[in-house]
Amino acid sequence: DPGFFETDLLIVSIPPRRTEDVERVFPARIAQLIPYLEKYKIQRVLFISSTSVYPETVGIAKEENVVLPDKASGRALIEAENLLIWNENFKTTVVRFGGLIGADRNPARFLTRQKGIVDGSKPVNLIHRDDCIQIIIGLINQEVWGDVFNACCPEHPDKKEFYKTASEISESPAPVFGEDSSSFGKIVDSTKLIGRLNYSFIYPSPIDWLATLKSF
């Protein structure tokens, strides 16, 4: 429907699918949007990306220090981000959300696909759905365009603390936790976003959300 593009602002939230050729397919899908953005003279684009663009061993992950992501989906996202950012016909802001919690998403199930021992020493990088919505509204209302932001709970409990608590609340089996001292993991830093929007997180820690729940 051509009328869909008759707007001055487009929010693009299309997560890459888990396919073997995601590095080719996903950027190509985003590239297909660009002629429409140009044709209909859309002025502003808000692209929803992910903290998977940062390698697991990066340490403190800030917007300016992206290196080659570990996962193919992360590499696909970086390429898609750049296709939009580098286009001078419209202004793009990228927001890289952490792992989504909230609503009916039971975090105790997040690790069910992992086999064997889970490294419980690594920090989690999560964000509640309600914070995601408020951040999007804030970026639009404050006319923040042409920039890149991390969006993640500013507090990062380790996996063992978070998922053990989630399992206890949901009365489901907890994973078997171990520790890997070979790498620290990553902590996604949202300081830039907090300062730019003067934003206060509804859930500064994902544990804060768990504390509000009686059951999943």
Side-chain angles (χ1 to χ4, degrees):
D1 182 4
F4 177 81
F5 291 97
E6 293 178 357
T7 178
D8 63 351
L9 164 64
L10 186 67
I11 299 175
V12 181
S13 181
I14 307 174
R17 294 181 179 179
R18 295 179 179 178
T19 59
E20 291 184 0
D21 56 351
V22 65
E23 290 184 68
R24 177 186 63 81
V25 171
F26 183 71
R29 292 180 68 190
I30 299 303
Q32 288 176 341
L33 281 174
I34 292 178
Y36 292 94
L37 300 175
E38 295 173 342
K39 177 180 178 181
Y40 289 94
K41 302 186 186 306
I42 293 176
Q43 301 172 15
R44 297 164 295 173
V45 175
L46 182 58
F47 182 65
I48 307 301
S49 188
S50 167
T51 56
S52 65
V53 301
Y54 300 107
E56 290 302 318
T57 56
V58 73
I60 305 300
K62 297 186 177 183
E63 290 84 353
E64 66 271 17
N65 66 1
V66 174
V67 292
L68 187 64
D70 298 320
K71 299 178 180 178
S73 60
R75 295 190 290 272
L77 278 166
I78 285 290
E79 185 172 346
E81 287 181 8
N82 289 335
L83 285 172
L84 296 171
I85 291 170
W86 293 343
N87 192 300
E88 297 181 352
N89 294 297
F90 45 83
K91 291 184 177 179
T92 298
T93 283
V94 172
V95 56
R96 296 170 178 156
F97 284 126
L100 187 64
I101 57 174
D104 59 350
R105 296 173 69 89
N106 182 349
R109 298 174 184 165
F110 287 3
L111 298 181
T112 56
R113 295 177 181 175
Q114 290 193 226
K115 304 296 183 181
I117 297 175
V118 174
D119 182 2
S121 65
K122 298 292 191 295
V124 297
N125 295 285
L126 302 172
I127 186 170
H128 193 277
R129 178 196 62 178
D130 294 352
D131 278 306
C132 293
I133 294 169
Q134 292 306 310
I135 287 166
I136 289 172
I137 292 172
L139 290 167
I140 294 171
N141 287 346
Q142 296 186 40
E143 295 284 352
V144 182
W145 303 109
D147 214 334
V148 179
F149 296 96
N150 293 334
C152 207
C153 291
E155 298 178 24
H156 304 264
D158 62 35
K159 287 185 177 181
K160 183 175 181 180
E161 178 185 6
F162 179 75
Y163 290 109
K164 183 178 180 181
T165 303
S167 296
E168 289 172 352
I169 292 173
S170 63
E171 299 181 348
S172 59
V176 177
F177 293 103
E179 292 188 5
D180 180 4
S181 59
S182 63
S183 64
F184 174 73
K186 69 181 176 186
I187 289 181
V188 177
D189 185 352
S190 297
T191 302
K192 179 180 175 181
L193 173 79
I194 293 169
R196 181 63 179 81
L197 295 184
N198 192 24
Y199 186 73
S200 296
F201 275 77
I202 301 168
Y203 299 97
S205 169
I207 298 290
D208 296 333
W209 172 59
L210 292 179
T212 69
L213 305 178
K214 293 183 179 179
S215 62
F216 292 103

